[in-house]
Amino acid sequence: MALKVYADRLSQPSRAVLIFCKVNGIAFEEVKVALSKFEHLTPEFKEINPMVKVPVIVDGRFKLFESHAILIYLSCAFPGVADHWYPSDLFRRAKIHSVLDWHHSNLRSGAAPLIFNTVLAPLFGRPLNPQVAAEAEKILFKSLSKIESFWLKGNGKFLLGGFKPSIADLSLVCEIMQLELLDEKDRSRILGPHLKVREWVENTRNATNPHFDEFHKVLLKLKETLQKQRSLKLTSKI
Amino acid sequence: MALKVYADRLSQPSRAVLIFCKVNGIAFEEVKVALSKFEHLTPEFKEINPMVKVPVIVDGRFKLFESHAILIYLSCAFPGVADHWYPSDLFRRAKIHSVLDWHHSNLRSGAAPLIFNTVLAPLFGRPLNPQVAAEAEKILFKSLSKIESFWLKGNGKFLLGGFKPSIADLSLVCEIMQLELLDEKDRSRILGPHLKVREWVENTRNATNPHFDEFHKVLLKLKETLQKQRSLKLTSKI
């Protein structure tokens, strides 16, 4: 039985896992779980993941959630995965764990609540919270500056001076791609000053294409819809 | 040159790393960094960790921050560490990564802002924020319930049904120990309903003593000071 990946392509950690599988030729079945339709709250999905989150993988009798843990598991369980994704070298591996842990309490803690409280909340029947969004933007901005000045230092094209991407590049870049959903003005204010970050996003995209673009289509379609809604609102105000 | 551990014993991830080293007979030099004296903001410490956080380890020429990454590194770099701390079995290891990732966006996201905004903020010259504390308590309570119903299911004394502790037990239990700083009434409201959690904290303490108690002394001393301050305030009100 092939590996099953329970995912919503609008969720950034879901996309990281899906792209990783495709890039590494891991055969899998994608089981779509639409968060905006609350499909993660059904009794069937709660059997798969009692934490009601995506992504989750089911590999035979083995179930696993939390995208970083999944990316590490896939790197180790599938022998075809190239070493640069999750290096066997003790020191490089330790640094990748460090980036992934940092991601949780920095980049994700900024980006996720910002996008939710600026764009996504209404899709889930929740109100937008501009105060939370403003706090989140500060964390996000600081995180992007740290990526630029610390994680991206060195001559490599990827995090930690790497010349090939690791699971940390893929995970963090998918997080940053979520900013596509913001109004262009907001997105420019946040990403504009971070040239190295923008180059690194592009490097990661190029290193994982055509799959990167394929799995970001849904996000970019939602971006388009949101832009149309914004112009309509603007027109109706004039 | 022995391993250096830059730590503040009042910081829960610092304690996890210090206790881990002691329990596993890893020789190290503890370099105290008092967060309440802003010693993490000195230019010297910024050289060690530009993220201005503890704990950090320096092992020869190798520097590493983020406590989970450090615990994993130490488990792999020091051959004397028993397998149960960070099992070599692919599936058990993957589950431990999953708990550690979950810790970031659940237990820690509840406990840390709750303690900061109920107790610690004034020590850092910051105001308490009861609204943030209330939101954090909800996340913490939900996280403790999930530990009880999901991570602690099975017959073992530890997370994931284990019969011996892993780095995840140590990390999460040190987080929960931070609740000692709360007023007794608040602590009972939060921990009271979670009997299995309380038993597991005790199991982890027993499995790592006398070091667990040794490294928690400073926390318990601060608890005592805070209790005295509270009684004085109460007396002055009568």
Side-chain angles (χ1 to χ4, degrees), chain B residues 9 11-12 14-28 30 85 165 170 173-174 177 201-220:
Chain B
R9 294 188 185 192
S11 117
Q12 61 279 32
S14 289
R15 288 197 302 277
V17 170
L18 292 165
I19 295 167
F20 182 84
C21 287
K22 273 287 183 191
V23 170
N24 288 289
I26 297 172
F28 69 100
E30 180 182 353
W85 287 107
L170 190 52
V173 164
C174 284
M177 282 302 289
V201 168
E202 207 47 31
N203 293 339
T204 306
R205 179 177 166 248
N206 289 333
T208 56
N209 253 344
H211 312 295
F212 190 92
D213 285 353
E214 178 62 29
F215 285 102
H216 278 90
K217 265 186 194 161
V218 181
L219 187 81
L220 298 180

Side-chain angles (χ1 to χ4, degrees), chain A residues 49-51 53 59 62-70 72-73 76-77 86 90-95 97-106 131 146-147 150-151 153, chain B residues 49-51 53 59 62-70 72-73 76-77 86 90-95 97-106 131 146-147 150-151 153:
Chain A
N49 183 5
M51 304 298 181
K53 292 267 173 75
D59 190 16
F62 186 65
K63 283 182 210 162
L64 191 66
F65 57 85
E66 286 291 341
S67 67
H68 294 170
I70 293 172
I72 293 175
Y73 170 79
C76 299
Y86 184 59
L90 178 65
F91 303 105
R92 285 201 66 77
R93 182 172 285 194
K95 290 284 186 185
H97 290 152
S98 183
V99 183
L100 291 172
D101 285 324
W102 179 88
H103 179 192
H104 281 289
S105 38
N106 294 278
Q131 201 188 334
K146 279 289 178 204
I147 293 177
F150 184 75
W151 296 118
K153 72 183 177 192
Chain B
N49 183 6
M51 304 298 182
K53 292 269 171 76
D59 189 16
F62 185 65
K63 284 183 209 160
L64 190 67
F65 58 85
E66 286 291 341
S67 67
H68 293 170
I70 293 172
I72 292 174
Y73 170 79
C76 299
Y86 184 59
L90 177 68
F91 303 105
R92 285 199 67 76
R93 181 170 286 193
K95 291 283 186 185
H97 290 151
S98 181
V99 183
L100 291 172
D101 285 324
W102 180 87
H103 179 192
H104 282 288
S105 38
N106 294 277
Q131 201 187 335
K146 279 290 179 201
I147 293 177
F150 184 74
W151 295 118
K153 71 183 178 195

Side-chain angles (χ1 to χ4, degrees), chain B residues 145-193:
Chain B
S145 303
K146 279 290 179 201
I147 293 177
E148 188 113 351
S149 66
F150 184 74
W151 295 118
L152 280 175
K153 71 183 178 195
N155 296 324
K157 289 160 80 179
F158 299 100
L159 297 171
L160 304 166
F163 290 95
K164 291 190 171 183
S166 76
I167 54 173
D169 292 284
L170 190 52
S171 176
L172 274 67
V173 164
C174 284
E175 189 80 53
I176 292 172
M177 282 302 289
Q178 212 72 352
L179 302 180
E180 291 291 333
L181 298 182
L182 293 176
D183 184 70
E184 205 46 42
K185 173 173 70 38
D186 294 339
R187 203 173 146 268
S188 300
R189 183 180 65 247
I190 296 167
L191 275 180

